[in-house]
Amino acid sequence: MNCWIEGSADTDFSIYNIPFGIFSAEGYSKRIGIAIGDQIMDLKVAAILGIFDEMNLSVTLWEEDTLNKFISLGKKVTSRVRWIIQKELSDDNSILRTSDQLLIPMADAQMHMPVHVGDYTDFYSSIEHATNLGKMFRDPDNALLPNWRHLPVGYHGRASSIVVSGTDIHRPKGQTKPPEGNPVFGPTKRLDFELEMGFIVGKNTNLGDSIPVNDAEDYIFGMVIFNDWSARDIQKWEYVPLGPFLGKSFASSISPWVVTLDALDSYRVPSPKQEPTVLPYLQYNGDRNFDIALEVSITPEGGNENVVSRSNFKYMYWNMSQQLAHHTVNGCNVNVGDMMASGTISGKDENSYGSMLEIASAGKNPLTLDDGSTRVFINDGDTVTMRASSIKDGHRVGFGEVTGKVLPAK
Ligand code: CA
């Protein structure tokens, strides 16, 4: 497919992508757009030009300030909308070219939370990450707990503090326990990122129903990059016996464009082999993992961007279909807009670790940045940026980035 928007083929937002998001700009209230090259297409303008007329959609649909209602229409509608946009963008005589209101440069727009997230769950599905942490905190010879290879471990997170890329994060405060003496209160000394991907639920289920693993992708609308900010010292003291709490709930950042599973279909790859064999409700057909290259960088205040990790979503031991099948196997219902994060995505070698805890070996092995400063965790003034993209046969589908700057504790 050729696209009449110049330069778009070499960006994350090529015609093969068409991700959906919520934007605003001068003269534009919040509304739905798609990303193409370095531009945003206003879908309300596209609808008024008539390209979706066959679908009988109300023009007001495109003025929604989240994607929830659009996603609720189902994949028959959302996939068709994406297909029509691709057809028009590859047609040199498209009616879209007659409007000077259709496209807004990304540089002139502000992005917002793409969905209202009702519930958020965080998994722990990278075997490399779980092994690294198990070695550090428990037993170097027996790093994985007995349940890990039998089910995708997860916990219920906090939806209210999920924020869109570009939102500043204040260093959280909390209770920590020095090696000697009583617990103390103050700003975390071990603020970390976690490199994750999140998927957004695209279809409701009823209480009591379970999603079969081979149907799970019908319930997944698309994906975003997910930075699960973590305060390691708070986490370490509080997590026994019920798991993560305030060390996680202060903030998570997501990228603003939701890349559909349709767009990712060409980048499917097999998952790592699961040993021992999993229970039947977790056994799936086909390739359900995706080759998505990931990158994390740290930019100190006034300094340069330093890439500190390169990983890949394809390393995930448990795939999204298994996560969703497991999540609902007890009859727990899910809703459109629910966010399910993968867990930190680490690769095998130290250049592919998905958290500072692993990169700097829990403080033992400081990382040196190009300005000569060192990091064991994230400093005030640092900006953490994550990027994700897939390339195959010269076609690029990417997520753009999620960034967040760390401000001093309030
Ligand atoms: Ca996490």
Side-chain angles (χ1 to χ4, degrees):
M1 280 184 287
N2 283 317
C3 178
W4 44 262
I5 296 191
E6 271 175 40
S8 60
D10 300 326
T11 71
D12 277 357
F13 307 119
S14 73
I15 194 169
Y16 296 96
N17 193 347
I18 316 294
F20 295 88
I22 301 293
F23 76 100
S24 64
E26 210 178 321
Y28 295 82
S29 54
K30 276 189 196 176
R31 62 184 67 182
I32 300 179
I34 60 101
I36 182 73
D38 59 0
Q39 307 282 312
I40 297 171
M41 183 193 291
D42 180 349
L43 293 191
K44 184 184 171 191
V45 174
I48 291 168
L49 288 168
I51 66 168
F52 306 129
D53 279 2
E54 62 167 68
M55 309 190 69
N56 278 324
L57 302 170
S58 162
V59 170
T60 58
L61 172 67
W62 310 109
E63 296 170 327
E64 291 284 320
D65 61 5
T66 67
L67 295 173
N68 293 58
K69 192 170 173 186
F70 172 64
I71 296 171
S72 299
L73 298 175
K75 286 207 190 194
K76 272 211 174 82
V77 172
T78 58
S79 298
R80 182 77 184 168
V81 163
R82 178 173 168 272
W83 182 85
I84 290 170
I85 294 168
Q86 284 179 319
K87 181 170 70 83
E88 294 294 334
L89 282 172
S90 58
D91 176 3
D92 283 335
N93 301 311
S94 170
I95 189 160
L96 295 180
R97 300 190 83 170
T98 63
S99 170
D100 58 4
Q101 314 237 299
L102 179 77
L103 299 170
I104 298 97
M106 282 180 183
D108 297 343
Q110 192 186 346
M111 297 305 298
H112 303 275
M113 276 294 288
V115 287
H116 170 73
V117 181
D119 280 297
Y120 152 51
T121 299
D122 194 18
F123 286 95
Y124 189 56
S125 289
S126 153
I127 197 165
E128 288 81 6
H129 175 70
T131 304
N132 288 339
L133 263 65
K135 280 182 185 166
M136 256 185 250
F137 291 117
R138 283 185 305 272
D139 180 356
D141 299 323
N142 215 351
L144 291 179
L145 287 167
N147 61 358
W148 202 90
R149 287 175 184 270
H150 295 278
L151 55 85
V153 170
Y155 70 97
H156 292 294
R158 186 76 197 163
S160 65
S161 53
I162 300 179
V163 296
V164 75
S165 177
T167 307
D168 295 336
I169 307 299
H170 282 278
R171 179 174 296 273
K173 294 177 286 192
Q175 194 178 130
T176 59
K177 171 77 169 66
E180 309 291 332
N182 292 323
V184 297
F185 174 79
T188 174
K189 295 187 173 76
R190 300 193 139 202
L191 181 60
D192 203 352
F193 58 80
E194 288 191 339
L195 170 62
E196 305 193 17
M197 299 292 293
F199 72 83
I200 291 168
V201 170
K203 194 171 165 183
N204 295 350
T205 62
N206 293 317
L207 187 65
D209 288 349
S210 303
I211 300 175
V213 66
N214 284 317
D215 296 347
E217 288 185 358
D218 296 344
Y219 293 80
I220 301 173
F221 175 71
M223 296 177 71
V224 293
I225 315 170
F226 194 100
N227 180 358
D228 180 21
W229 297 97
S230 301
R232 300 300 182 191
D233 42 2
I234 297 172
Q235 182 185 354
K236 188 177 179 186
W237 173 228
E238 74 177 0
Y239 89 103
V240 184
L242 289 186
F245 191 31
L246 304 187
K248 298 283 188 175
S249 61
F250 58 95
S252 309
S253 302
I254 64 167
S255 54
W257 292 107
V258 184
V259 175
T260 62
L261 273 203
D262 294 337
L264 293 166
D265 196 52
S266 309
Y267 306 95
R268 287 179 185 277
V269 287
S271 300
K273 186 167 169 51
Q274 294 184 322
E275 290 266 9
T277 304
V278 297
L279 286 169
Y281 81 94
L282 293 168
Q283 292 172 10
Y284 59 92
N285 300 325
D287 292 343
R288 289 172 182 265
N289 211 341
F290 297 89
D291 181 359
I292 305 171
L294 308 169
E295 179 184 292
V296 188
S297 67
I298 298 174
T299 310
E301 183 94 67
N304 300 317
E305 194 173 327
N306 292 252
V307 174
V308 299
S309 178
R310 288 194 172 88
S311 186
N312 196 304
F313 186 67
K314 71 183 176 187
Y315 301 143
M316 300 307 292
Y317 187 86
W318 295 100
N319 62 51
M320 296 185 286
S321 294
Q322 292 179 308
Q323 290 169 342
L324 199 46
H326 182 66
H327 201 302
T328 58
V329 77
N330 64 347
C332 172
N333 52 332
V334 294
N335 292 299
V336 167
D338 285 359
M339 180 76 70
M340 311 270 171
S342 59
T344 307
I345 306 161
S346 292
K348 284 196 169 45
D349 65 78
E350 57 195 22
N351 300 318
S352 61
Y353 291 163
S355 66
M356 286 303 292
L357 186 64
E358 295 162 271
I359 292 170
S361 317
K364 286 198 281 284
N365 184 19
L367 184 76
T368 305
L369 304 185
D370 72 336
D371 62 3
S373 67
T374 57
R375 293 291 182 282
V376 286
F377 288 98
I378 302 302
N379 291 359
D380 289 349
D382 287 351
T383 297
V384 175
T385 304
M386 298 175 178
R387 298 195 175 84
S389 65
S390 299
I391 300 178
K392 190 178 168 188
D393 303 330
H395 301 161
R396 180 160 161 190
V397 166
F399 290 76
E401 61 183 32
V402 55
T403 73
K405 182 175 179 179
V406 174
L407 303 182
K410 258 189 182 169

